[in-house]
Amino acid sequence: MQQYEWDFGAVLAYWPMLLQGLWGTVAISVLAIILGILGGGLVATLRMSRHTPLRVIGTIYVEFYRNTPGIVHFFWVYYALPVVANVNLGPLEAAIIALATQSSAFYAEVLRGGIQSIGKGQWEGATALGMSHTEALRRIIVPQAARRMVAPFVERSFEIIKTSSLASTLAYGELLYQGMQVASITYRPLETYTLLALIYFLLLYLLSSLAKLAEDRLQEV
Amino acid sequence: MNDTPTPDTGAPILRSVGLRKSFGSLDVLKGIDLDVKRGDRIAIIGGSGSGKSTLLRCLNFMERPTGGQVILDGERIGDARVAKDGSETITYRERDLMAVRKRVGMVFQQFNLFPHMSTVENVMEGLVTVLRRPKAEARERAAQELARVGLGDKLDVYPGRLSGGQQQRVAIARALAMDPEVLLFDEPTSSLDPELVGEVLRTILSLAEDGRTMLLVTHELGFAYRFATHVIYLSDGVVHETGTAEEVFRNPQRDKTRAFIARSSEFSL
Amino acid sequence: MGYQFDFSMVIKILPVLWRGVIVTVELTIACLAVGLILGFFVALLRVSPAAPLRFVGRAFVEIFRNIPALIQLIWFFYAFPIVIGAQLSPFVAAVLGISLNTAAFSAEIYRSGIQSIERGQWEGAMAIGMSRAATFRRVVLPQVFRRMLPAFTNRAVEVAKVTSLASVLSVHELMYQGRVLSSTFYRPLEILTTVGLVYLVMIYPMTWASAAMERRMRRRA
């Protein structure tokens, strides 16, 4: 067997394409995280509502996303949603809708888990002081819950960044898609995909180290 | 307890000489000398933080001492190496410590039963995995020990379904099954509800009648008095006073001991 | 809003989807089995007293958790064959990628399980003369398996979802069949919706079982 000669240079020559891809990854991830938090707040409100129908809707939403693969959501939004809604969606819009609706479900669970982890005694203590339900939630429960939600929130956000690579299947130019183009131009899949793996690893490892730092800082308060 | 067998006066079964233990910069034991003869029942008493539990845990190497010696049946445990400046470091081999623990049993404050095994399996575990007894024989022996602590009807029950007092009696049976030469009790009733303390204390006293060699760390001074042939009062990591139970409880020689004992209602007179 | 949902299409494609379901199940079982076994050994490295072994275990976990699963699959299909000088079938490449990914996540489940066993359990066993190895095998591990069963079930849910990525390598599993059918019949709405529902029916029972186990354990505690 002939020894394979590694040549990262050939791949790195296309760095502007990869950089563009990295930008694409960051852009849809950030958008999806922001929209996901907003959507998650809404879904969590439904899930914890006193009205059964609202609760049922929230639960169905969450369970649907938890129990179906992400790639199905991407394809459904890109190919099926335009049929139902009679709209035209580009890969970017479709990817963001898929990623944001999916992360809404997961963030909703983070919010709910955090709020429900606060003991009944805290609610009782607050109402005993004459606070209303909303006041108790805002002044007593949420501040305590927020701290417990940091770790699962960070974990979920990392999942979003990783899941954003599925946008490549819709030909949206994020990191993986751009990498695929580079691989086919250079005929160097080994170097290209190894490099991609490395970029993702460094990106997420860096972010998780930052997150850990922030978490430790928060726990001290 | 005058009707119990008198301790023999032969060579000590368990000794410690200058035993020390530090956790980081905190010196918990500052040189403890201890002689345990066969048949002795020693109560170790003292305030919290006095080092009494640590002392007990060093004797079967749940904690590794940082200095001094533990001598079991005339044999020193651990390999001592003397450096050029005369300081001594001791290394312990896990194999040697396992051999010690086979001969020195322990009952814990938190019972430490195995929740995934029934009571009889808990008691059999050491017999089967450590002493390599056949299962049938081990089960029979385990059943005997459980009957002895009054739980002969609970063989196949899981610990989670037993009261704290019953769990602690299973733990005692588990230790007894190994037929240890010395039995250590680390505050065996401290995590029990008050109404369950009695059954455990009665079980321990019944062992005294068999002439077992036992060391007990406890807060229950009244029980210590009834149980012990000898008492050690530890304070701040050293033996502050020692003697027979009668001497230490009825006629303490030092002020600190007297003050400590007077805190218990039974000896406040 | 004139779109007519064509239910006959759903009936028509079910036999093909069923073939995909079988491959999805095969893939899930294979990856879960390899991943759980390999993950156990990685966890042993993670809790080893020897620092170099701990480092190797940590590196494995960080690498396979921080790189998107899709990149791992693509790497094993397009890049890995160049390293070993032999082509891999899509199925084998998918099993390799997903199994290693699963191993990394399972290793963390084992590790947190091992570390959740109270010190008293070790002490109780050591006090009757048991060796560390015997204590680990007879006392700690059985409790880890019990305590971590819900977490392992959750992992199975994730694996079942991740296998859908194998469609990118043209493994003939459920998602792949859905994609092919939807481009053949131009009926993405009916077909992709059905695919999503089939996944839901397959995966939801596992989610439910995991939650039920957790509830039962909490009641017992």
Side-chain angles (χ1 to χ4, degrees):
Chain A
M1 194 182 81
Q2 203 186 325
Q3 188 63 40
Y4 181 77
E5 278 193 35
W6 291 74
D7 183 9
F8 278 101
V11 175
L12 284 171
Y14 290 89
W15 68 267
M17 279 180 76
L18 295 177
L19 193 65
Q20 204 189 333
L22 184 62
W23 167 243
T25 294
V26 171
I28 53 171
S29 300
V30 169
L31 269 171
I33 288 171
I34 294 169
L35 293 172
I37 293 171
L38 298 176
L42 181 70
V43 176
T45 313
L46 291 177
R47 279 215 77 177
M48 292 185 292
S49 163
R50 265 168 291 185
H51 307 288
T52 312
L54 296 182
R55 223 168 38 235
V56 169
I57 292 171
T59 305
I60 290 176
Y61 184 88
V62 168
E63 292 298 343
F64 175 76
Y65 277 101
R66 282 213 307 182
N67 289 287
T68 47
I71 196 169
V72 174
H73 314 147
F74 278 81
F75 273 78
W76 198 90
V77 171
Y78 191 52
Y79 294 106
L81 183 62
V83 177
V84 197
N86 206 11
V87 288
N88 256 320
L89 289 179
L92 172 66
E93 292 89 349
I96 286 179
I97 292 173
L99 210 47
T101 48
Q102 186 184 331
S103 41
S104 297
F106 288 108
Y107 282 137
E109 286 304 276
V110 172
L111 288 167
R112 190 177 68 105
I115 288 172
Q116 292 187 342
S117 75
I118 303 300
K120 222 176 147 185
Q122 292 295 313
W123 283 103
E124 285 170 355
T127 20
L129 289 174
M131 288 189 193
S132 72
H133 186 85
T134 333
E135 273 175 336
L137 191 67
R138 207 183 61 228
R139 299 188 53 84
I140 309 295
I141 305 300
V142 171
Q144 297 183 65
R147 203 171 294 181
R148 296 184 196 188
M149 289 188 281
V150 174
F153 172 79
V154 168
E155 197 181 314
R156 256 9 288 189
S157 306
F158 285 3
E159 286 304 317
I160 290 173
I161 297 173
K162 288 191 272 175
T163 308
S164 74
S165 64
L166 296 187
S168 66
T169 57
L170 308 185
Y172 170 69
E174 49 65 75
L175 190 51
L176 175 55
Y177 183 77
Q178 295 293 88
M180 288 167 153
Q181 305 306 310
V182 172
S184 67
I185 298 170
T186 58
Y187 294 107
R188 291 265 169 201
L190 176 56
E191 288 85 346
T192 312
Y193 293 127
T194 306
L195 189 65
L196 283 191
L198 196 69
I199 295 173
Y200 269 111
F201 178 79
L202 290 178
L203 177 69
L204 285 158
Y205 195 75
L206 206 78
L207 286 175
S208 74
S209 304
L210 283 176
K212 195 151 282 158
L213 217 75
E215 257 174 70
D216 290 346
R217 194 64 67 76
L218 262 171
Q219 298 308 326
E220 281 165 22
V221 181
Chain B
M1 300 285 297
N2 298 324
D3 50 343
T4 55
T6 44
D8 73 18
T9 47
I13 172 76
L14 184 65
R15 289 180 65 204
S16 78
V17 179
L19 198 65
R20 297 174 164 276
K21 174 70 185 176
S22 317
F23 294 100
S25 60
L26 182 69
D27 298 327
V28 179
L29 299 179
K30 300 172 183 167
I32 305 277
D33 296 332
L34 178 75
D35 271 14
V36 184
K37 298 200 181 68
R38 287 181 203 277
D40 274 358
R41 295 185 298 279
I42 298 178
I44 303 169
I45 59 172
S48 54
S50 60
K52 52 192 193 305
S53 273
T54 305
L55 170 59
L56 204 68
R57 290 165 59 80
C58 281
L59 294 176
N60 72 340
F61 298 94
M62 284 291 120
E63 308 284 356
R64 295 186 180 198
T66 30
Q69 310 177 9
V70 175
I71 299 155
L72 178 62
D73 210 2
E75 213 168 299
R76 181 175 173 178
I77 313 301
D79 307 311
R81 207 171 300 143
V82 183
K84 279 196 188 118
D85 61 348
S87 67
E88 197 185 60
T89 49
I90 308 173
T91 53
Y92 298 100
R93 273 177 304 200
E94 193 61 32
R95 180 185 297 268
D96 296 338
L97 302 188
M98 281 160 59
V100 172
R101 293 179 190 131
K102 259 193 252 184
R103 301 173 64 184
V104 180
M106 185 172 226
V107 172
F108 299 87
Q109 182 179 345
Q110 299 292 343
F111 331 135
N112 295 346
L113 293 179
F114 310 132
H116 59 302
M117 298 182 191
S118 67
T119 58
V120 73
E121 285 167 345
N122 264 278
V123 182
M124 285 166 65
E125 186 59 23
L127 295 168
V128 175
T129 49
V130 179
L131 300 181
R132 306 265 168 222
R133 297 277 163 73
K135 271 215 166 128
E137 185 195 319
R139 192 181 161 92
E140 197 176 321
R141 174 70 200 271
Q144 276 170 23
E145 295 299 344
L146 283 166
R148 190 218 287 240
V149 298
L151 295 169
D153 57 337
K154 300 266 190 244
L155 299 192
D156 296 311
V157 177
Y158 283 82
R161 321 225 46 162
L162 297 176
S163 73
Q166 290 171 324
Q167 288 189 52
Q168 191 59 298
R169 285 188 281 151
V170 175
I172 293 171
R174 183 173 72 179
L176 285 175
M178 300 297 288
D179 222 352
E181 288 159 70
V182 180
L183 196 47
L184 311 175
F185 291 90
D186 187 7
E187 306 200 22
T189 57
S190 293
S191 59
L192 294 177
D193 292 336
E195 70 271 20
L196 302 175
V197 168
E199 57 185 86
V200 171
L201 295 184
R202 273 193 297 280
T203 306
I204 296 172
L205 279 181
S206 76
L207 301 179
E209 285 162 28
D210 301 343
R212 285 209 169 259
T213 311
M214 297 187 277
L215 280 81
L216 169 82
V217 166
T218 187
H219 288 298
E220 315 241 354
L221 297 189
F223 178 68
Y225 175 66
R226 283 211 291 156
F227 160 85
T229 55
H230 295 77
V231 175
I232 292 172
Y233 172 61
L234 275 194
S235 174
D236 202 21
V238 294
V239 176
H240 194 73
E241 183 160 356
T242 180
T244 65
E246 211 52 44
E247 285 165 354
V248 176
F249 281 115
R250 292 297 175 200
N251 190 17
Q253 296 301 302
R254 304 184 65 172
D255 293 345
K256 213 168 166 186
T257 318
R258 200 169 299 132
F260 180 76
I261 286 174
R263 268 185 247 159
S264 165
S265 56
E266 293 180 52
F267 299 99
S268 56
L269 299 174
Chain C
M1 286 306 291
Y3 190 82
Q4 286 290 312
F5 194 95
D6 184 359
F7 279 103
S8 69
M9 180 57 71
V10 175
I11 307 296
K12 204 159 127 191
I13 61 170
L14 276 181
V16 182
L17 292 186
W18 175 247
R19 287 213 298 275
V21 166
I22 290 172
V23 179
T24 292
V25 170
E26 284 170 357
L27 209 50
T28 304
I29 291 174
C31 296
L32 201 58
V34 177
L36 287 179
I37 293 166
L38 188 63
F40 177 71
F41 291 102
V42 176
L44 290 186
L45 294 178
R46 286 282 268 148
V47 298
S48 156
L53 294 182
R54 271 206 310 276
F55 177 79
V56 172
R58 169 109 199 267
F60 181 95
V61 168
E62 294 294 354
I63 286 172
F64 285 98
R65 281 203 316 183
N66 282 322
I67 296 171
L70 184 53
I71 305 269
Q72 292 171 27
L73 289 187
I74 288 177
W75 193 89
F76 275 103
F77 189 59
Y78 292 104
F80 189 56
I82 300 172
V83 180
I84 60 167
Q87 197 48 251
L88 292 180
S89 76
F91 189 85
V92 171
V95 169
L96 256 175
I98 299 171
S99 297
L100 293 176
N101 183 267
T102 307
F105 282 99
S106 324
E108 290 305 276
I109 301 176
Y110 285 115
R111 185 178 68 102
S112 68
I114 291 167
Q115 291 175 343
S116 77
I117 302 296
E118 302 75 11
R119 223 179 115 73
Q121 290 292 306
W122 287 92
E123 292 188 347
M126 277 155 64
I128 50 175
M130 286 171 75
S131 65
R132 286 188 167 275
T135 305
F136 186 68
R137 209 179 53 241
R138 308 243 340 141
V139 175
V140 174
L141 270 192
Q143 295 188 62
V144 168
F145 284 125
R146 233 161 265 223
R147 213 173 275 194
M148 294 290 124
L149 203 55
F152 284 126
T153 312
N154 275 335
R155 195 32 42 200
V157 167
E158 293 306 318
V159 174
K161 290 197 282 180
V162 169
T163 59
S164 64
L165 300 184
S167 65
V168 174
L169 310 184
S170 302
V171 174
H172 292 16
E173 46 67 73
L174 179 55
M175 184 65 201
Y176 176 83
Q177 302 290 12
R179 286 166 69 169
V180 170
L181 286 169
S182 115
S183 60
T184 309
F185 291 106
Y186 298 107
R187 283 277 171 181
L189 178 62
E190 289 82 351
I191 293 165
L192 291 174
T193 304
T194 311
V195 168
L197 291 176
V198 172
Y199 271 113
L200 189 68
V201 169
M202 283 170 68
I203 294 173
Y204 186 73
M206 289 195 277
T207 306
W208 184 84
S210 162
M213 278 186 277
E214 250 167 54
R215 270 198 305 273
R216 210 176 57 200
M217 284 184 181
R218 244 199 317 267
R219 262 208 311 275
R220 274 200 198 158

